[in-house]
Amino acid sequence: AQSVTQLDSHVSVSEGTPVLLRCNYSSSYSPSLFWYVQHPNKGLQLLLKYTSAATLVKGINGFEAEFKKSETSFHLTKPSAHMSDAAEYFCVVSEGDGGGADGLTFGKGTHLIIQP
Amino acid sequence: EAGVTQFPSHSVIEKGQTVTLRCDPISGHDNLYWYRRVMGKEIKFLLHFVKESKQDESGMPNNRFLAERTGGTYSTLKVQPAELEDSGVYFCASSRRGAGDTQYFGPGTRLTVL
C-alpha cells in the first residue's frame, strides 16, 4: 500500500526567501509522484510530476522537486517566495500499474504562508 | 481546451435529503475519478471510471453513494440519503490514460449537510 506524509501542516516564510515543503512517501512499486497546489476558492492545479526520467523535476512558477529514493522523499522547493505562492500544497503518489487502488493518494496538505 | 467542470459549486441540504453532483471531464479523457475531502482530513479517492465502466470503486464509503457515467462522458455522484458526515468537498478529475497519468482536477463541489 502507498502512503504520503507531509511533515508540516503550515510553513511560513518571508517574501523573497526560499521555500521548502517536505514530503515522504511509501510505495511498494515504482511510483509516480506529484505536487498539486490549491489556491483559495480554486481547484487543484498540477505543479509538477515525477515519473522516472530525471530525479530533479522542474514545475510551474519556479517550483522544483527532487526525488530521492534512498530517503523516500520528494521535497518541493522554490528559491524565492512570492506573495502569490500563498496556498495549500499537496504531495501525491500513484502506484500506477503496481496494484492497489487506481486513485491518487494524497498527503494531508501544507499551508504555505508568505509574510510581506 | 476546457478544463474539468463541476456543478454545483456549493450545495446545502438537510440530513436525509438527496443530492446529485455532476462532473464534466476534459473532452477525450476516458478516465474519470471522484475524490472527497472532509473537514480536517486528507483528500480521499472514491472511484474510477474508464469510459462508462467502473474500474475501481474501492473508496466508496457505503451504499448511500451511487456514481454513474452513462455514455462515458459526464458523471454524476448521488448521495441518498445524505448524512452529516457526508459534508465536505467533492472533487472530480480526469485523465487521458489510466494508471500514473496526470489527473486534471475540477474546482470541486462543497457539500454541507445540516
Side-chain angles (χ1 to χ4, degrees), chain A residues 32 34 36 38 43-44 46 49 88 90 94 96-97 101-104 106-108, chain B residues 33 35 37 42-43 45 48 55-56 58 91 99-103 105-107:
Chain A
S32 294
F34 308 80
Y36 282 85
Q38 185 178 25
L44 291 158
L46 179 69
K49 172 184 178 181
E88 188 169 17
F90 297 92
S94 170
D97 286 325
D102 288 354
L104 302 174
F106 281 77
K108 291 188 175 182
Chain B
Y33 303 81
Y35 294 84
R37 189 181 196 189
E42 61 266 40
I43 299 170
F45 165 75
H48 170 209
Q55 183 78 10
D56 180 355
S58 61
F91 292 100
D101 196 18
T102 299
Q103 295 181 24
F105 281 78

PDB file of all heavy atoms in Angstrom, chain A residues 32 34 36 38 43-44 46 49 88 90 94 96-97 101-104 106-108, chain B residues 33 35 37 42-43 45 48 55-56 58 91 99-103 105-107:
ATOM      1  N   SER A  32       4.669   7.087  -9.314  1.00  0.00           N
ATOM      2  CA  SER A  32       4.667   8.432  -9.880  1.00  0.00           C
ATOM      3  C   SER A  32       4.357   9.373  -8.720  1.00  0.00           C
ATOM      4  O   SER A  32       3.517   9.066  -7.869  1.00  0.00           O
ATOM      5  CB  SER A  32       3.582   8.568 -10.962  1.00  0.00           C
ATOM      6  OG  SER A  32       3.879   7.758 -12.073  1.00  0.00           O
ATOM      7  N   PHE A  34       3.614  13.498  -7.496  1.00  0.00           N
ATOM      8  CA  PHE A  34       3.104  14.781  -7.961  1.00  0.00           C
ATOM      9  C   PHE A  34       3.093  15.782  -6.805  1.00  0.00           C
ATOM     10  O   PHE A  34       2.997  15.407  -5.640  1.00  0.00           O
ATOM     11  CB  PHE A  34       1.645  14.649  -8.452  1.00  0.00           C
ATOM     12  CG  PHE A  34       1.398  13.559  -9.460  1.00  0.00           C
ATOM     13  CD1 PHE A  34       1.258  12.245  -9.064  1.00  0.00           C
ATOM     14  CD2 PHE A  34       1.271  13.858 -10.804  1.00  0.00           C
ATOM     15  CE1 PHE A  34       1.003  11.230  -9.976  1.00  0.00           C
ATOM     16  CE2 PHE A  34       1.018  12.853 -11.739  1.00  0.00           C
ATOM     17  CZ  PHE A  34       0.881  11.549 -11.316  1.00  0.00           C
ATOM     18  N   TYR A  36       0.563  19.077  -6.169  1.00  0.00           N
ATOM     19  CA  TYR A  36      -0.558  19.902  -6.597  1.00  0.00           C
ATOM     20  C   TYR A  36      -0.672  21.089  -5.653  1.00  0.00           C
ATOM     21  O   TYR A  36      -0.294  21.010  -4.475  1.00  0.00           O
ATOM     22  CB  TYR A  36      -1.875  19.116  -6.543  1.00  0.00           C
ATOM     23  CG  TYR A  36      -2.116  18.151  -7.678  1.00  0.00           C
ATOM     24  CD1 TYR A  36      -1.596  16.854  -7.634  1.00  0.00           C
ATOM     25  CD2 TYR A  36      -2.872  18.512  -8.792  1.00  0.00           C
ATOM     26  CE1 TYR A  36      -1.829  15.958  -8.676  1.00  0.00           C
ATOM     27  CE2 TYR A  36      -3.116  17.615  -9.830  1.00  0.00           C
ATOM     28  CZ  TYR A  36      -2.588  16.344  -9.761  1.00  0.00           C
ATOM     29  OH  TYR A  36      -2.831  15.455 -10.785  1.00  0.00           O
ATOM     30  N   GLN A  38      -3.468  24.246  -4.319  1.00  0.00           N
ATOM     31  CA  GLN A  38      -4.836  24.752  -4.326  1.00  0.00           C
ATOM     32  C   GLN A  38      -4.838  26.141  -3.710  1.00  0.00           C
ATOM     33  O   GLN A  38      -4.592  26.308  -2.511  1.00  0.00           O
ATOM     34  CB  GLN A  38      -5.784  23.839  -3.543  1.00  0.00           C
ATOM     35  CG  GLN A  38      -7.236  24.279  -3.632  1.00  0.00           C
ATOM     36  CD  GLN A  38      -8.196  23.363  -2.907  1.00  0.00           C
ATOM     37  OE1 GLN A  38      -7.830  22.657  -1.979  1.00  0.00           O
ATOM     38  NE2 GLN A  38      -9.443  23.359  -3.339  1.00  0.00           N
ATOM     39  N   GLY A  43      -9.602  25.312  -7.808  1.00  0.00           N
ATOM     40  CA  GLY A  43      -9.408  23.868  -7.888  1.00  0.00           C
ATOM     41  C   GLY A  43      -7.944  23.498  -7.703  1.00  0.00           C
ATOM     42  O   GLY A  43      -7.077  24.345  -7.527  1.00  0.00           O
ATOM     43  N   LEU A  44      -7.676  22.210  -7.760  1.00  0.00           N
ATOM     44  CA  LEU A  44      -6.310  21.704  -7.630  1.00  0.00           C
ATOM     45  C   LEU A  44      -5.576  21.869  -8.960  1.00  0.00           C
ATOM     46  O   LEU A  44      -6.069  21.463 -10.006  1.00  0.00           O
ATOM     47  CB  LEU A  44      -6.340  20.229  -7.248  1.00  0.00           C
ATOM     48  CG  LEU A  44      -6.840  19.914  -5.846  1.00  0.00           C
ATOM     49  CD1 LEU A  44      -7.330  18.493  -5.743  1.00  0.00           C
ATOM     50  CD2 LEU A  44      -5.741  20.171  -4.840  1.00  0.00           C
ATOM     51  N   LEU A  46      -1.909  21.194 -11.054  1.00  0.00           N
ATOM     52  CA  LEU A  46      -0.677  20.426 -11.056  1.00  0.00           C
ATOM     53  C   LEU A  46       0.521  21.360 -11.104  1.00  0.00           C
ATOM     54  O   LEU A  46       0.619  22.222 -11.973  1.00  0.00           O
ATOM     55  CB  LEU A  46      -0.638  19.486 -12.266  1.00  0.00           C
ATOM     56  CG  LEU A  46       0.620  18.641 -12.408  1.00  0.00           C
ATOM     57  CD1 LEU A  46       0.687  17.590 -11.306  1.00  0.00           C
ATOM     58  CD2 LEU A  46       0.673  17.976 -13.778  1.00  0.00           C
ATOM     59  N   LYS A  49       5.433  16.854 -11.862  1.00  0.00           N
ATOM     60  CA  LYS A  49       5.226  15.415 -11.833  1.00  0.00           C
ATOM     61  C   LYS A  49       6.555  14.713 -12.011  1.00  0.00           C
ATOM     62  O   LYS A  49       7.363  15.101 -12.855  1.00  0.00           O
ATOM     63  CB  LYS A  49       4.278  15.009 -12.954  1.00  0.00           C
ATOM     64  CG  LYS A  49       4.127  13.506 -13.168  1.00  0.00           C
ATOM     65  CD  LYS A  49       3.247  13.229 -14.375  1.00  0.00           C
ATOM     66  CE  LYS A  49       3.128  11.726 -14.634  1.00  0.00           C
ATOM     67  NZ  LYS A  49       2.279  11.454 -15.824  1.00  0.00           N
ATOM     68  N   GLU A  88      -2.413  26.113  -0.438  1.00  0.00           N
ATOM     69  CA  GLU A  88      -2.204  24.805   0.181  1.00  0.00           C
ATOM     70  C   GLU A  88      -1.587  23.874  -0.854  1.00  0.00           C
ATOM     71  O   GLU A  88      -2.057  23.806  -1.996  1.00  0.00           O
ATOM     72  CB  GLU A  88      -3.518  24.224   0.710  1.00  0.00           C
ATOM     73  CG  GLU A  88      -3.325  22.963   1.539  1.00  0.00           C
ATOM     74  CD  GLU A  88      -4.573  22.516   2.281  1.00  0.00           C
ATOM     75  OE1 GLU A  88      -5.684  22.964   1.930  1.00  0.00           O
ATOM     76  OE2 GLU A  88      -4.439  21.701   3.228  1.00  0.00           O
ATOM     77  N   PHE A  90      -0.160  19.982  -1.940  1.00  0.00           N
ATOM     78  CA  PHE A  90      -0.382  18.560  -1.682  1.00  0.00           C
ATOM     79  C   PHE A  90       0.665  17.722  -2.393  1.00  0.00           C
ATOM     80  O   PHE A  90       0.874  17.864  -3.603  1.00  0.00           O
ATOM     81  CB  PHE A  90      -1.766  18.123  -2.188  1.00  0.00           C
ATOM     82  CG  PHE A  90      -2.911  18.796  -1.495  1.00  0.00           C
ATOM     83  CD1 PHE A  90      -3.456  19.955  -2.010  1.00  0.00           C
ATOM     84  CD2 PHE A  90      -3.428  18.262  -0.322  1.00  0.00           C
ATOM     85  CE1 PHE A  90      -4.512  20.582  -1.365  1.00  0.00           C
ATOM     86  CE2 PHE A  90      -4.480  18.880   0.328  1.00  0.00           C
ATOM     87  CZ  PHE A  90      -5.019  20.049  -0.204  1.00  0.00           C
ATOM     88  N   SER A  94       1.111   7.953  -6.857  1.00  0.00           N
ATOM     89  CA  SER A  94       0.321   6.987  -7.602  1.00  0.00           C
ATOM     90  C   SER A  94       1.209   5.797  -7.900  1.00  0.00           C
ATOM     91  O   SER A  94       2.321   5.959  -8.381  1.00  0.00           O
ATOM     92  CB  SER A  94      -0.170   7.597  -8.915  1.00  0.00           C
ATOM     93  OG  SER A  94      -0.743   6.602  -9.739  1.00  0.00           O
ATOM     94  N   GLY A  96       0.421   3.640 -10.098  1.00  0.00           N
ATOM     95  CA  GLY A  96       0.231   3.271 -11.484  1.00  0.00           C
ATOM     96  C   GLY A  96      -0.258   1.853 -11.611  1.00  0.00           C
ATOM     97  O   GLY A  96      -1.202   1.443 -10.945  1.00  0.00           O
ATOM     98  N   ASP A  97       0.435   1.082 -12.419  1.00  0.00           N
ATOM     99  CA  ASP A  97       0.013  -0.300 -12.646  1.00  0.00           C
ATOM    100  C   ASP A  97       0.513  -1.237 -11.566  1.00  0.00           C
ATOM    101  O   ASP A  97       0.387  -2.451 -11.684  1.00  0.00           O
ATOM    102  CB  ASP A  97       0.545  -0.783 -14.007  1.00  0.00           C
ATOM    103  CG  ASP A  97      -0.235  -0.169 -15.138  1.00  0.00           C
ATOM    104  OD1 ASP A  97      -1.442   0.025 -14.975  1.00  0.00           O
ATOM    105  OD2 ASP A  97       0.377   0.127 -16.179  1.00  0.00           O
ATOM    106  N   ALA A 101      -5.398   0.587  -5.158  1.00  0.00           N
ATOM    107  CA  ALA A 101      -6.482   1.375  -5.728  1.00  0.00           C
ATOM    108  C   ALA A 101      -5.960   2.206  -6.897  1.00  0.00           C
ATOM    109  O   ALA A 101      -4.786   2.577  -6.949  1.00  0.00           O
ATOM    110  CB  ALA A 101      -7.083   2.285  -4.663  1.00  0.00           C
ATOM    111  N   ASP A 102      -6.874   2.495  -7.813  1.00  0.00           N
ATOM    112  CA  ASP A 102      -6.485   3.246  -9.003  1.00  0.00           C
ATOM    113  C   ASP A 102      -6.206   4.707  -8.712  1.00  0.00           C
ATOM    114  O   ASP A 102      -5.528   5.374  -9.481  1.00  0.00           O
ATOM    115  CB  ASP A 102      -7.613   3.160 -10.040  1.00  0.00           C
ATOM    116  CG  ASP A 102      -7.709   1.786 -10.658  1.00  0.00           C
ATOM    117  OD1 ASP A 102      -6.844   0.943 -10.376  1.00  0.00           O
ATOM    118  OD2 ASP A 102      -8.655   1.552 -11.423  1.00  0.00           O
ATOM    119  N   GLY A 103      -6.800   5.219  -7.666  1.00  0.00           N
ATOM    120  CA  GLY A 103      -6.735   6.652  -7.448  1.00  0.00           C
ATOM    121  C   GLY A 103      -5.420   7.101  -6.860  1.00  0.00           C
ATOM    122  O   GLY A 103      -4.555   6.321  -6.488  1.00  0.00           O
ATOM    123  N   LEU A 104      -5.282   8.418  -6.806  1.00  0.00           N
ATOM    124  CA  LEU A 104      -4.112   9.031  -6.202  1.00  0.00           C
ATOM    125  C   LEU A 104      -4.235   8.968  -4.685  1.00  0.00           C
ATOM    126  O   LEU A 104      -5.328   8.989  -4.132  1.00  0.00           O
ATOM    127  CB  LEU A 104      -4.015  10.492  -6.635  1.00  0.00           C
ATOM    128  CG  LEU A 104      -3.934  10.751  -8.150  1.00  0.00           C
ATOM    129  CD1 LEU A 104      -3.988  12.252  -8.425  1.00  0.00           C
ATOM    130  CD2 LEU A 104      -2.695  10.135  -8.736  1.00  0.00           C
ATOM    131  N   PHE A 106      -3.157  11.132  -1.426  1.00  0.00           N
ATOM    132  CA  PHE A 106      -2.776  12.495  -1.085  1.00  0.00           C
ATOM    133  C   PHE A 106      -2.174  12.565   0.307  1.00  0.00           C
ATOM    134  O   PHE A 106      -2.599  11.848   1.227  1.00  0.00           O
ATOM    135  CB  PHE A 106      -4.002  13.406  -1.096  1.00  0.00           C
ATOM    136  CG  PHE A 106      -4.446  13.834  -2.457  1.00  0.00           C
ATOM    137  CD1 PHE A 106      -5.138  12.969  -3.279  1.00  0.00           C
ATOM    138  CD2 PHE A 106      -4.184  15.113  -2.912  1.00  0.00           C
ATOM    139  CE1 PHE A 106      -5.553  13.356  -4.549  1.00  0.00           C
ATOM    140  CE2 PHE A 106      -4.598  15.520  -4.177  1.00  0.00           C
ATOM    141  CZ  PHE A 106      -5.283  14.640  -4.991  1.00  0.00           C
ATOM    142  N   GLY A 107      -1.215  13.478   0.475  1.00  0.00           N
ATOM    143  CA  GLY A 107      -0.825  13.880   1.810  1.00  0.00           C
ATOM    144  C   GLY A 107      -1.875  14.813   2.383  1.00  0.00           C
ATOM    145  O   GLY A 107      -2.818  15.215   1.701  1.00  0.00           O
ATOM    146  N   LYS A 108      -1.710  15.172   3.649  1.00  0.00           N
ATOM    147  CA  LYS A 108      -2.709  15.987   4.332  1.00  0.00           C
ATOM    148  C   LYS A 108      -2.646  17.458   3.933  1.00  0.00           C
ATOM    149  O   LYS A 108      -3.530  18.231   4.308  1.00  0.00           O
ATOM    150  CB  LYS A 108      -2.576  15.851   5.846  1.00  0.00           C
ATOM    151  CG  LYS A 108      -2.975  14.479   6.357  1.00  0.00           C
ATOM    152  CD  LYS A 108      -3.027  14.432   7.866  1.00  0.00           C
ATOM    153  CE  LYS A 108      -3.560  13.066   8.319  1.00  0.00           C
ATOM    154  NZ  LYS A 108      -3.676  12.980   9.789  1.00  0.00           N
TER     155      LYS A 108
ATOM    156  N   TYR B  33     -12.330  10.293 -12.304  1.00  0.00           N
ATOM    157  CA  TYR B  33     -12.155   9.930 -10.888  1.00  0.00           C
ATOM    158  C   TYR B  33     -12.980  10.853 -10.011  1.00  0.00           C
ATOM    159  O   TYR B  33     -13.119  12.036 -10.299  1.00  0.00           O
ATOM    160  CB  TYR B  33     -10.685  10.083 -10.477  1.00  0.00           C
ATOM    161  CG  TYR B  33      -9.703   9.293 -11.298  1.00  0.00           C
ATOM    162  CD1 TYR B  33      -9.267   9.760 -12.536  1.00  0.00           C
ATOM    163  CD2 TYR B  33      -9.180   8.089 -10.830  1.00  0.00           C
ATOM    164  CE1 TYR B  33      -8.356   9.043 -13.288  1.00  0.00           C
ATOM    165  CE2 TYR B  33      -8.255   7.375 -11.578  1.00  0.00           C
ATOM    166  CZ  TYR B  33      -7.851   7.858 -12.804  1.00  0.00           C
ATOM    167  OH  TYR B  33      -6.935   7.145 -13.548  1.00  0.00           O
ATOM    168  N   TYR B  35     -13.105  12.145  -5.913  1.00  0.00           N
ATOM    169  CA  TYR B  35     -12.398  12.214  -4.639  1.00  0.00           C
ATOM    170  C   TYR B  35     -13.243  13.031  -3.666  1.00  0.00           C
ATOM    171  O   TYR B  35     -14.116  13.795  -4.068  1.00  0.00           O
ATOM    172  CB  TYR B  35     -11.041  12.922  -4.796  1.00  0.00           C
ATOM    173  CG  TYR B  35     -10.034  12.202  -5.642  1.00  0.00           C
ATOM    174  CD1 TYR B  35     -10.042  12.329  -7.034  1.00  0.00           C
ATOM    175  CD2 TYR B  35      -9.060  11.394  -5.063  1.00  0.00           C
ATOM    176  CE1 TYR B  35      -9.100  11.665  -7.817  1.00  0.00           C
ATOM    177  CE2 TYR B  35      -8.112  10.733  -5.838  1.00  0.00           C
ATOM    178  CZ  TYR B  35      -8.145  10.881  -7.204  1.00  0.00           C
ATOM    179  OH  TYR B  35      -7.214  10.229  -7.971  1.00  0.00           O
ATOM    180  N   ARG B  37     -12.900  15.361   0.182  1.00  0.00           N
ATOM    181  CA  ARG B  37     -12.143  15.839   1.326  1.00  0.00           C
ATOM    182  C   ARG B  37     -13.134  16.283   2.394  1.00  0.00           C
ATOM    183  O   ARG B  37     -13.858  17.258   2.208  1.00  0.00           O
ATOM    184  CB  ARG B  37     -11.228  17.010   0.968  1.00  0.00           C
ATOM    185  CG  ARG B  37     -10.281  17.367   2.113  1.00  0.00           C
ATOM    186  CD  ARG B  37      -9.399  18.526   1.781  1.00  0.00           C
ATOM    187  NE  ARG B  37      -8.266  18.585   2.716  1.00  0.00           N
ATOM    188  CZ  ARG B  37      -7.410  19.609   2.766  1.00  0.00           C
ATOM    189  NH1 ARG B  37      -7.539  20.628   1.949  1.00  0.00           N
ATOM    190  NH2 ARG B  37      -6.409  19.579   3.628  1.00  0.00           N
ATOM    191  N   GLU B  42      -7.431  14.362   4.817  1.00  0.00           N
ATOM    192  CA  GLU B  42      -6.830  14.427   3.503  1.00  0.00           C
ATOM    193  C   GLU B  42      -7.843  14.078   2.421  1.00  0.00           C
ATOM    194  O   GLU B  42      -8.893  13.520   2.691  1.00  0.00           O
ATOM    195  CB  GLU B  42      -5.610  13.496   3.402  1.00  0.00           C
ATOM    196  CG  GLU B  42      -5.904  12.035   3.620  1.00  0.00           C
ATOM    197  CD  GLU B  42      -5.688  11.623   5.057  1.00  0.00           C
ATOM    198  OE1 GLU B  42      -6.046  12.401   5.964  1.00  0.00           O
ATOM    199  OE2 GLU B  42      -5.193  10.514   5.267  1.00  0.00           O
ATOM    200  N   ILE B  43      -7.503  14.433   1.202  1.00  0.00           N
ATOM    201  CA  ILE B  43      -8.331  14.111   0.044  1.00  0.00           C
ATOM    202  C   ILE B  43      -8.255  12.604  -0.194  1.00  0.00           C
ATOM    203  O   ILE B  43      -7.173  12.026  -0.259  1.00  0.00           O
ATOM    204  CB  ILE B  43      -7.836  14.868  -1.194  1.00  0.00           C
ATOM    205  CG1 ILE B  43      -7.931  16.379  -0.959  1.00  0.00           C
ATOM    206  CG2 ILE B  43      -8.624  14.461  -2.437  1.00  0.00           C
ATOM    207  CD1 ILE B  43      -7.247  17.221  -2.019  1.00  0.00           C
ATOM    208  N   PHE B  45      -9.602   9.118  -2.386  1.00  0.00           N
ATOM    209  CA  PHE B  45     -10.131   8.538  -3.613  1.00  0.00           C
ATOM    210  C   PHE B  45     -11.450   7.831  -3.334  1.00  0.00           C
ATOM    211  O   PHE B  45     -11.586   7.116  -2.340  1.00  0.00           O
ATOM    212  CB  PHE B  45      -9.104   7.541  -4.156  1.00  0.00           C
ATOM    213  CG  PHE B  45      -9.611   6.604  -5.210  1.00  0.00           C
ATOM    214  CD1 PHE B  45      -9.833   7.048  -6.504  1.00  0.00           C
ATOM    215  CD2 PHE B  45      -9.856   5.275  -4.910  1.00  0.00           C
ATOM    216  CE1 PHE B  45     -10.286   6.173  -7.478  1.00  0.00           C
ATOM    217  CE2 PHE B  45     -10.304   4.400  -5.878  1.00  0.00           C
ATOM    218  CZ  PHE B  45     -10.518   4.843  -7.160  1.00  0.00           C
ATOM    219  N   HIS B  48     -13.186   5.238  -9.769  1.00  0.00           N
ATOM    220  CA  HIS B  48     -12.552   5.469 -11.058  1.00  0.00           C
ATOM    221  C   HIS B  48     -13.395   4.833 -12.152  1.00  0.00           C
ATOM    222  O   HIS B  48     -13.734   3.650 -12.070  1.00  0.00           O
ATOM    223  CB  HIS B  48     -11.143   4.855 -11.025  1.00  0.00           C
ATOM    224  CG  HIS B  48     -10.439   4.795 -12.346  1.00  0.00           C
ATOM    225  ND1 HIS B  48      -9.502   3.816 -12.639  1.00  0.00           N
ATOM    226  CD2 HIS B  48     -10.505   5.586 -13.447  1.00  0.00           C
ATOM    227  CE1 HIS B  48      -9.027   4.011 -13.862  1.00  0.00           C
ATOM    228  NE2 HIS B  48      -9.621   5.077 -14.366  1.00  0.00           N
ATOM    229  N   GLN B  55     -14.093   1.083 -12.940  1.00  0.00           N
ATOM    230  CA  GLN B  55     -12.855   0.319 -12.894  1.00  0.00           C
ATOM    231  C   GLN B  55     -12.476  -0.047 -11.468  1.00  0.00           C
ATOM    232  O   GLN B  55     -11.954  -1.118 -11.191  1.00  0.00           O
ATOM    233  CB  GLN B  55     -11.730   1.147 -13.526  1.00  0.00           C
ATOM    234  CG  GLN B  55     -10.395   0.478 -13.628  1.00  0.00           C
ATOM    235  CD  GLN B  55     -10.348  -0.509 -14.779  1.00  0.00           C
ATOM    236  OE1 GLN B  55     -11.259  -0.566 -15.617  1.00  0.00           O
ATOM    237  NE2 GLN B  55      -9.306  -1.299 -14.854  1.00  0.00           N
ATOM    238  N   ASP B  56     -12.729   0.885 -10.560  1.00  0.00           N
ATOM    239  CA  ASP B  56     -12.338   0.697  -9.164  1.00  0.00           C
ATOM    240  C   ASP B  56     -13.244   1.563  -8.310  1.00  0.00           C
ATOM    241  O   ASP B  56     -13.244   2.783  -8.471  1.00  0.00           O
ATOM    242  CB  ASP B  56     -10.870   1.091  -8.974  1.00  0.00           C
ATOM    243  CG  ASP B  56     -10.377   0.934  -7.543  1.00  0.00           C
ATOM    244  OD1 ASP B  56     -11.174   0.607  -6.645  1.00  0.00           O
ATOM    245  OD2 ASP B  56      -9.170   1.139  -7.319  1.00  0.00           O
ATOM    246  N   SER B  58     -13.325   1.059  -4.844  1.00  0.00           N
ATOM    247  CA  SER B  58     -12.906   0.634  -3.511  1.00  0.00           C
ATOM    248  C   SER B  58     -12.983   1.737  -2.473  1.00  0.00           C
ATOM    249  O   SER B  58     -13.009   1.462  -1.279  1.00  0.00           O
ATOM    250  CB  SER B  58     -11.476   0.081  -3.566  1.00  0.00           C
ATOM    251  OG  SER B  58     -10.576   1.072  -4.014  1.00  0.00           O
ATOM    252  N   PHE B  91     -14.299  16.360  -5.263  1.00  0.00           N
ATOM    253  CA  PHE B  91     -13.525  16.712  -6.446  1.00  0.00           C
ATOM    254  C   PHE B  91     -13.695  15.649  -7.519  1.00  0.00           C
ATOM    255  O   PHE B  91     -13.782  14.454  -7.229  1.00  0.00           O
ATOM    256  CB  PHE B  91     -12.035  16.807  -6.114  1.00  0.00           C
ATOM    257  CG  PHE B  91     -11.656  17.939  -5.222  1.00  0.00           C
ATOM    258  CD1 PHE B  91     -11.438  17.727  -3.869  1.00  0.00           C
ATOM    259  CD2 PHE B  91     -11.498  19.222  -5.732  1.00  0.00           C
ATOM    260  CE1 PHE B  91     -11.077  18.775  -3.038  1.00  0.00           C
ATOM    261  CE2 PHE B  91     -11.137  20.273  -4.907  1.00  0.00           C
ATOM    262  CZ  PHE B  91     -10.926  20.051  -3.556  1.00  0.00           C
ATOM    263  N   ALA B  99      -3.509   4.473 -15.176  1.00  0.00           N
ATOM    264  CA  ALA B  99      -2.559   4.433 -14.082  1.00  0.00           C
ATOM    265  C   ALA B  99      -1.321   5.302 -14.297  1.00  0.00           C
ATOM    266  O   ALA B  99      -0.620   5.167 -15.295  1.00  0.00           O
ATOM    267  CB  ALA B  99      -2.120   2.991 -13.883  1.00  0.00           C
ATOM    268  N   GLY B 100      -1.073   6.197 -13.340  1.00  0.00           N
ATOM    269  CA  GLY B 100       0.127   7.014 -13.365  1.00  0.00           C
ATOM    270  C   GLY B 100       0.039   8.261 -14.218  1.00  0.00           C
ATOM    271  O   GLY B 100       0.926   9.108 -14.157  1.00  0.00           O
ATOM    272  N   ASP B 101      -0.995   8.370 -15.037  1.00  0.00           N
ATOM    273  CA  ASP B 101      -1.113   9.542 -15.894  1.00  0.00           C
ATOM    274  C   ASP B 101      -1.555  10.744 -15.073  1.00  0.00           C
ATOM    275  O   ASP B 101      -2.202  10.598 -14.028  1.00  0.00           O
ATOM    276  CB  ASP B 101      -2.122   9.258 -17.012  1.00  0.00           C
ATOM    277  CG  ASP B 101      -2.017  10.251 -18.158  1.00  0.00           C
ATOM    278  OD1 ASP B 101      -0.972  10.935 -18.275  1.00  0.00           O
ATOM    279  OD2 ASP B 101      -2.987  10.356 -18.935  1.00  0.00           O
ATOM    280  N   THR B 102      -1.232  11.932 -15.538  1.00  0.00           N
ATOM    281  CA  THR B 102      -1.611  13.149 -14.830  1.00  0.00           C
ATOM    282  C   THR B 102      -3.122  13.289 -14.796  1.00  0.00           C
ATOM    283  O   THR B 102      -3.791  13.164 -15.829  1.00  0.00           O
ATOM    284  CB  THR B 102      -0.995  14.372 -15.509  1.00  0.00           C
ATOM    285  OG1 THR B 102       0.427  14.252 -15.464  1.00  0.00           O
ATOM    286  CG2 THR B 102      -1.423  15.642 -14.793  1.00  0.00           C
ATOM    287  N   GLN B 103      -3.656  13.560 -13.627  1.00  0.00           N
ATOM    288  CA  GLN B 103      -5.083  13.807 -13.473  1.00  0.00           C
ATOM    289  C   GLN B 103      -5.307  15.310 -13.339  1.00  0.00           C
ATOM    290  O   GLN B 103      -4.609  15.991 -12.589  1.00  0.00           O
ATOM    291  CB  GLN B 103      -5.619  13.075 -12.246  1.00  0.00           C
ATOM    292  CG  GLN B 103      -5.541  11.562 -12.380  1.00  0.00           C
ATOM    293  CD  GLN B 103      -6.098  10.824 -11.184  1.00  0.00           C
ATOM    294  OE1 GLN B 103      -6.928  11.332 -10.438  1.00  0.00           O
ATOM    295  NE2 GLN B 103      -5.651   9.586 -11.001  1.00  0.00           N
ATOM    296  N   PHE B 105      -7.905  18.255 -12.269  1.00  0.00           N
ATOM    297  CA  PHE B 105      -8.989  18.358 -11.303  1.00  0.00           C
ATOM    298  C   PHE B 105      -9.950  19.499 -11.626  1.00  0.00           C
ATOM    299  O   PHE B 105      -9.545  20.552 -12.134  1.00  0.00           O
ATOM    300  CB  PHE B 105      -8.427  18.571  -9.899  1.00  0.00           C
ATOM    301  CG  PHE B 105      -7.916  17.314  -9.270  1.00  0.00           C
ATOM    302  CD1 PHE B 105      -6.679  16.800  -9.627  1.00  0.00           C
ATOM    303  CD2 PHE B 105      -8.670  16.631  -8.346  1.00  0.00           C
ATOM    304  CE1 PHE B 105      -6.205  15.621  -9.068  1.00  0.00           C
ATOM    305  CE2 PHE B 105      -8.211  15.451  -7.766  1.00  0.00           C
ATOM    306  CZ  PHE B 105      -6.974  14.954  -8.134  1.00  0.00           C
ATOM    307  N   GLY B 106     -11.197  19.279 -11.263  1.00  0.00           N
ATOM    308  CA  GLY B 106     -12.187  20.336 -11.282  1.00  0.00           C
ATOM    309  C   GLY B 106     -12.102  21.157 -10.011  1.00  0.00           C
ATOM    310  O   GLY B 106     -11.336  20.830  -9.090  1.00  0.00           O
ATOM    311  N   PRO B 107     -12.905  22.218  -9.932  1.00  0.00           N
ATOM    312  CA  PRO B 107     -12.853  23.123  -8.781  1.00  0.00           C
ATOM    313  C   PRO B 107     -13.504  22.555  -7.525  1.00  0.00           C
ATOM    314  O   PRO B 107     -13.334  23.115  -6.442  1.00  0.00           O
ATOM    315  CB  PRO B 107     -13.604  24.362  -9.266  1.00  0.00           C
ATOM    316  CG  PRO B 107     -14.526  23.840 -10.308  1.00  0.00           C
ATOM    317  CD  PRO B 107     -13.825  22.701 -10.971  1.00  0.00           C
TER     318      PRO B 107
END
